[in-house]
Amino acid sequence: MASGSVSSQKQHSTLLHLFAGGVAGTFGAICTCPLEVLKTRLQSSRLAIPDPPAWWWFRARKITSTSRLPEVLKVLKSILEKEGTKTLFRGLGPNLIGVAPSRAVYFACYSKAKDLLNDIFVPNTYTVHFISAGSAGFITNTLMNPVWMIKSRMQLGLQVKGSKGINTVQCARYIYQENGISGFYRGLTASYFGIFETMICFAIYERVKKWLTEPPLALSANGTNRSSPTRNFFSYMAAAAIARVLASFVGYPHEVLRTRLREEGTKYRTFSQTVHLIAQEEGFLGFYRGLCAQLIWQVPNTGIVLSTYELIVFLMKDFKD
């Protein structure tokens, strides 16, 4: 009887994390889609970017990254003038198709891995969070890469203002005709390298979240617990923002590599060859093209997704109880 009760609780927990992750991912994708389009365009090799000023001591040799805000605004202005407002939401279709199951799978795997590893290692340590995030990232990237490939192609595709762009099905058909099934897995190696960034992000997030939501910060002046869903929501958002900024500086280059590998008709073929070409032609900063736009998109996206996920889990557990 007790065994059946435990099994039922574990099943409920998995479904809860699946649901919360799916809702949180969808909400975050809709809110930050225009910022993601800007980020993808800035990572592309087709964007002409001028050399940085002479004082930029580690500037690239030829084309360099200007992740500065003015460049972001120039790209935004160009999109609005030449392609129209709808372009800022290109790729939202496959994003919505993919983000709900990908976030659902990720958070369910992450939560399940934490439960298993807490029985093996010291509970809720960096080791547990690192391995949990890594295993969840590997599973999610492997399953969802075809969807993200379609999204990237749609975001990178230029079109004349007022003209009709290709839809998700047409884009998928074109990728298949061009490279077959393997075409949907371009950039997967770069995504695997990006797992390290996610591992860092979640390890930092869990630690900052604990610091913000547990005593003494969670206690009021008279010593009573003043934690609430609203306060926790903003605490989770702050923790997610801090974690994402710190992790992005370490793991960002894989984003540029992945985007280059997903471009259509370019010289980038394999992961190692792309690393060599960027280093040779663009220098160190080539690996950080679009970083400003990445942070402008990723920080609020991560904050929205993680805080929404945590809030849903909190409310649903209270509802069940």
Side-chain angles (χ1 to χ4, degrees), residues 148-159:
W148 305 144
M149 173 63 185
I150 295 171
K151 180 192 71 173
S152 294
R153 277 291 181 88
M154 292 182 70
Q155 291 176 341
L156 288 169
L158 301 176
Q159 66 180 65

PDB file of all heavy atoms in Angstrom, residues 148-159:
ATOM      1  N   TRP A 148      14.730  23.225 -33.345  1.00  0.00           N
ATOM      2  CA  TRP A 148      15.524  24.450 -33.241  1.00  0.00           C
ATOM      3  C   TRP A 148      16.243  24.758 -34.557  1.00  0.00           C
ATOM      4  O   TRP A 148      16.492  25.917 -34.880  1.00  0.00           O
ATOM      5  CB  TRP A 148      16.540  24.325 -32.111  1.00  0.00           C
ATOM      6  CG  TRP A 148      15.955  23.983 -30.777  1.00  0.00           C
ATOM      7  CD1 TRP A 148      16.496  23.183 -29.820  1.00  0.00           C
ATOM      8  CD2 TRP A 148      14.703  24.436 -30.227  1.00  0.00           C
ATOM      9  NE1 TRP A 148      15.668  23.096 -28.736  1.00  0.00           N
ATOM     10  CE2 TRP A 148      14.562  23.843 -28.950  1.00  0.00           C
ATOM     11  CE3 TRP A 148      13.680  25.263 -30.703  1.00  0.00           C
ATOM     12  CZ2 TRP A 148      13.454  24.061 -28.144  1.00  0.00           C
ATOM     13  CZ3 TRP A 148      12.557  25.473 -29.905  1.00  0.00           C
ATOM     14  CH2 TRP A 148      12.467  24.883 -28.642  1.00  0.00           C
ATOM     15  N   MET A 149      16.561  23.727 -35.332  1.00  0.00           N
ATOM     16  CA  MET A 149      17.166  23.933 -36.645  1.00  0.00           C
ATOM     17  C   MET A 149      16.193  24.679 -37.559  1.00  0.00           C
ATOM     18  O   MET A 149      16.566  25.642 -38.247  1.00  0.00           O
ATOM     19  CB  MET A 149      17.535  22.571 -37.254  1.00  0.00           C
ATOM     20  CG  MET A 149      18.028  22.622 -38.689  1.00  0.00           C
ATOM     21  SD  MET A 149      19.558  23.539 -38.873  1.00  0.00           S
ATOM     22  CE  MET A 149      19.718  23.509 -40.667  1.00  0.00           C
ATOM     23  N   ILE A 150      14.952  24.261 -37.565  1.00  0.00           N
ATOM     24  CA  ILE A 150      13.923  24.922 -38.377  1.00  0.00           C
ATOM     25  C   ILE A 150      13.731  26.358 -37.912  1.00  0.00           C
ATOM     26  O   ILE A 150      13.656  27.299 -38.725  1.00  0.00           O
ATOM     27  CB  ILE A 150      12.586  24.149 -38.293  1.00  0.00           C
ATOM     28  CG1 ILE A 150      12.734  22.759 -38.918  1.00  0.00           C
ATOM     29  CG2 ILE A 150      11.464  24.926 -38.978  1.00  0.00           C
ATOM     30  CD1 ILE A 150      11.548  21.849 -38.683  1.00  0.00           C
ATOM     31  N   LYS A 151      13.682  26.560 -36.612  1.00  0.00           N
ATOM     32  CA  LYS A 151      13.504  27.914 -36.066  1.00  0.00           C
ATOM     33  C   LYS A 151      14.644  28.837 -36.489  1.00  0.00           C
ATOM     34  O   LYS A 151      14.411  29.965 -36.918  1.00  0.00           O
ATOM     35  CB  LYS A 151      13.421  27.844 -34.546  1.00  0.00           C
ATOM     36  CG  LYS A 151      13.244  29.201 -33.878  1.00  0.00           C
ATOM     37  CD  LYS A 151      13.468  29.123 -32.384  1.00  0.00           C
ATOM     38  CE  LYS A 151      14.933  28.894 -32.070  1.00  0.00           C
ATOM     39  NZ  LYS A 151      15.228  28.979 -30.621  1.00  0.00           N
ATOM     40  N   SER A 152      15.886  28.367 -36.375  1.00  0.00           N
ATOM     41  CA  SER A 152      17.043  29.188 -36.738  1.00  0.00           C
ATOM     42  C   SER A 152      17.021  29.559 -38.211  1.00  0.00           C
ATOM     43  O   SER A 152      17.297  30.702 -38.580  1.00  0.00           O
ATOM     44  CB  SER A 152      18.349  28.448 -36.415  1.00  0.00           C
ATOM     45  OG  SER A 152      18.498  28.267 -35.024  1.00  0.00           O
ATOM     46  N   ARG A 153      16.691  28.593 -39.076  1.00  0.00           N
ATOM     47  CA  ARG A 153      16.625  28.869 -40.511  1.00  0.00           C
ATOM     48  C   ARG A 153      15.572  29.934 -40.821  1.00  0.00           C
ATOM     49  O   ARG A 153      15.780  30.809 -41.657  1.00  0.00           O
ATOM     50  CB  ARG A 153      16.305  27.587 -41.273  1.00  0.00           C
ATOM     51  CG  ARG A 153      17.514  26.710 -41.545  1.00  0.00           C
ATOM     52  CD  ARG A 153      18.457  27.372 -42.564  1.00  0.00           C
ATOM     53  NE  ARG A 153      19.597  26.531 -42.838  1.00  0.00           N
ATOM     54  CZ  ARG A 153      19.614  25.582 -43.777  1.00  0.00           C
ATOM     55  NH1 ARG A 153      18.533  25.363 -44.505  1.00  0.00           N
ATOM     56  NH2 ARG A 153      20.689  24.869 -43.977  1.00  0.00           N
ATOM     57  N   MET A 154      14.441  29.856 -40.153  1.00  0.00           N
ATOM     58  CA  MET A 154      13.379  30.831 -40.399  1.00  0.00           C
ATOM     59  C   MET A 154      13.776  32.209 -39.899  1.00  0.00           C
ATOM     60  O   MET A 154      13.463  33.231 -40.516  1.00  0.00           O
ATOM     61  CB  MET A 154      12.078  30.373 -39.731  1.00  0.00           C
ATOM     62  CG  MET A 154      11.474  29.135 -40.368  1.00  0.00           C
ATOM     63  SD  MET A 154       9.902  28.635 -39.627  1.00  0.00           S
ATOM     64  CE  MET A 154       8.824  29.957 -40.189  1.00  0.00           C
ATOM     65  N   GLN A 155      14.489  32.281 -38.781  1.00  0.00           N
ATOM     66  CA  GLN A 155      14.920  33.567 -38.245  1.00  0.00           C
ATOM     67  C   GLN A 155      16.020  34.203 -39.074  1.00  0.00           C
ATOM     68  O   GLN A 155      16.132  35.422 -39.149  1.00  0.00           O
ATOM     69  CB  GLN A 155      15.385  33.397 -36.800  1.00  0.00           C
ATOM     70  CG  GLN A 155      14.271  33.081 -35.827  1.00  0.00           C
ATOM     71  CD  GLN A 155      14.760  32.821 -34.423  1.00  0.00           C
ATOM     72  OE1 GLN A 155      15.940  32.528 -34.202  1.00  0.00           O
ATOM     73  NE2 GLN A 155      13.874  32.916 -33.453  1.00  0.00           N
ATOM     74  N   LEU A 156      16.841  33.372 -39.715  1.00  0.00           N
ATOM     75  CA  LEU A 156      17.947  33.879 -40.519  1.00  0.00           C
ATOM     76  C   LEU A 156      17.521  34.261 -41.924  1.00  0.00           C
ATOM     77  O   LEU A 156      18.210  35.013 -42.602  1.00  0.00           O
ATOM     78  CB  LEU A 156      19.062  32.823 -40.615  1.00  0.00           C
ATOM     79  CG  LEU A 156      19.881  32.589 -39.350  1.00  0.00           C
ATOM     80  CD1 LEU A 156      20.743  31.349 -39.501  1.00  0.00           C
ATOM     81  CD2 LEU A 156      20.732  33.802 -39.034  1.00  0.00           C
ATOM     82  N   GLY A 157      16.392  33.733 -42.372  1.00  0.00           N
ATOM     83  CA  GLY A 157      15.936  34.000 -43.730  1.00  0.00           C
ATOM     84  C   GLY A 157      15.507  35.448 -43.919  1.00  0.00           C
ATOM     85  O   GLY A 157      14.632  35.955 -43.225  1.00  0.00           O
ATOM     86  N   LEU A 158      16.143  36.138 -44.873  1.00  0.00           N
ATOM     87  CA  LEU A 158      15.789  37.526 -45.167  1.00  0.00           C
ATOM     88  C   LEU A 158      14.645  37.564 -46.160  1.00  0.00           C
ATOM     89  O   LEU A 158      14.533  36.726 -47.045  1.00  0.00           O
ATOM     90  CB  LEU A 158      17.004  38.269 -45.749  1.00  0.00           C
ATOM     91  CG  LEU A 158      18.247  38.317 -44.851  1.00  0.00           C
ATOM     92  CD1 LEU A 158      19.389  38.994 -45.601  1.00  0.00           C
ATOM     93  CD2 LEU A 158      17.958  39.047 -43.569  1.00  0.00           C
ATOM     94  N   GLN A 159      13.796  38.573 -46.052  1.00  0.00           N
ATOM     95  CA  GLN A 159      12.687  38.706 -46.981  1.00  0.00           C
ATOM     96  C   GLN A 159      12.372  40.173 -47.201  1.00  0.00           C
ATOM     97  O   GLN A 159      12.714  41.037 -46.396  1.00  0.00           O
ATOM     98  CB  GLN A 159      11.442  37.992 -46.452  1.00  0.00           C
ATOM     99  CG  GLN A 159      10.851  38.623 -45.184  1.00  0.00           C
ATOM    100  CD  GLN A 159       9.619  37.874 -44.706  1.00  0.00           C
ATOM    101  OE1 GLN A 159       9.710  36.732 -44.308  1.00  0.00           O
ATOM    102  NE2 GLN A 159       8.485  38.529 -44.742  1.00  0.00           N
TER     103      GLN A 159
END
